[in-house]
Amino acid sequence: MKPLIIIDPGHGGRDPGGGSNEYWLEKDMVLKISKYQYERLKALGIPVQLTRNDDVYLSSSQRAKIVRDSEAKYCISNHINAGGGEGAETIHSIYSDAKLATKILDQIRQAGQKTRRVFYRTLSNSPHLDYYFMHRETGNVETVIVEYGFADQKEDTDRLLNHWKDYAEAVIKAICEHIGHNYQKSFNIDKDSWKHEGVEYLYKEGILNDLQGWKQKINEPMPVWAVTLLLKKICEKLKEES
């Protein structure tokens, strides 16, 4: 099944990204944001893909090709800004109606981050071409570049360190609103985290295949058939390893 959304963690590998500081490298922060969004969209039943899920380098042509070949309808390209400013901003193609970009920035603002602008940029020598290759070279995929704040601004840095997950979740809420999908709030993984130890272990060992789904049902009783099926999988795993 082709994804509806493809999430692009900017930079990676030998390209750390300019939105870096003493607390994070941009490539790592946006990968963390992107992986969170990937899991959330999966949990909500929205087909999703990542351009990268590890610290690997992608050239601009490789990255754009992954997005094009995905045949997704939307791409969210995650970045952290730098260079003197404060607040989040979103960038859309000159051929976009800017509705998704506007919704994303509005939700990030409601999540507590300062916001700057929704905008587009053209090539200086060609007003009919987008400046950013993620808009210019990704074909029919509507791409929104999200800059979550400035790595060289103290207040932005503090907000991102403490609330990056809130801003990542805001993008999920905006996507759901835009595509008309039922939105459910993120399950607070930090709350009752002691209850998740067994679920996370069994997921890591390959016994469970839906981490977020099990976490969201952590307080629900298991029916007998589910208990027996789980025990069966554990026994099969033990036999394989013996």
Side-chain angles (χ1 to χ4, degrees), residues 35-50:
K35 282 186 170 182
Y36 173 86
Q37 292 170 337
Y38 174 79
E39 293 297 337
R40 284 288 292 126
L41 288 170
K42 277 202 332 182
L44 287 164
I46 299 173
V48 60
Q49 181 181 328
L50 287 165

Side-chain angles (χ1 to χ4, degrees), residues 119-133:
F119 72 102
Y120 64 84
R121 184 177 176 185
T122 61
L123 284 174
S124 58
N125 60 351
S126 180
H128 301 295
L129 289 176
D130 280 294
Y131 175 84
Y132 298 98
F133 78 89

Side-chain angles (χ1 to χ4, degrees), residues 152-169:
D152 53 358
Q153 206 279 339
K154 183 183 183 306
E155 285 73 19
D156 263 2
T157 295
D158 290 343
R159 284 190 290 264
L160 279 165
L161 284 171
N162 293 307
H163 303 292
W164 68 266
K165 193 177 290 184
D166 295 330
Y167 308 152
E169 182 68 24

Side-chain angles (χ1 to χ4, degrees), residues 190-239:
D190 294 325
K191 182 183 178 183
D192 297 335
S193 60
W194 60 273
K195 296 180 180 180
H196 302 142
E197 182 179 350
V199 170
E200 290 171 352
Y201 177 81
L202 292 177
Y203 177 81
K204 182 180 178 182
E205 292 298 314
I207 305 297
L208 302 178
N209 60 10
D210 182 5
L211 181 61
Q212 293 301 321
W214 279 86
K215 283 185 174 181
Q216 288 173 348
K217 298 176 182 178
I218 199 70
N219 292 313
E220 294 182 12
M222 283 184 70
V224 173
W225 67 264
V227 174
T228 56
L229 184 59
L230 184 59
L231 289 172
K232 178 176 179 286
K233 288 185 177 181
I234 292 171
C235 290
E236 289 172 347
K237 184 78 172 176
L238 290 171
K239 287 179 180 178

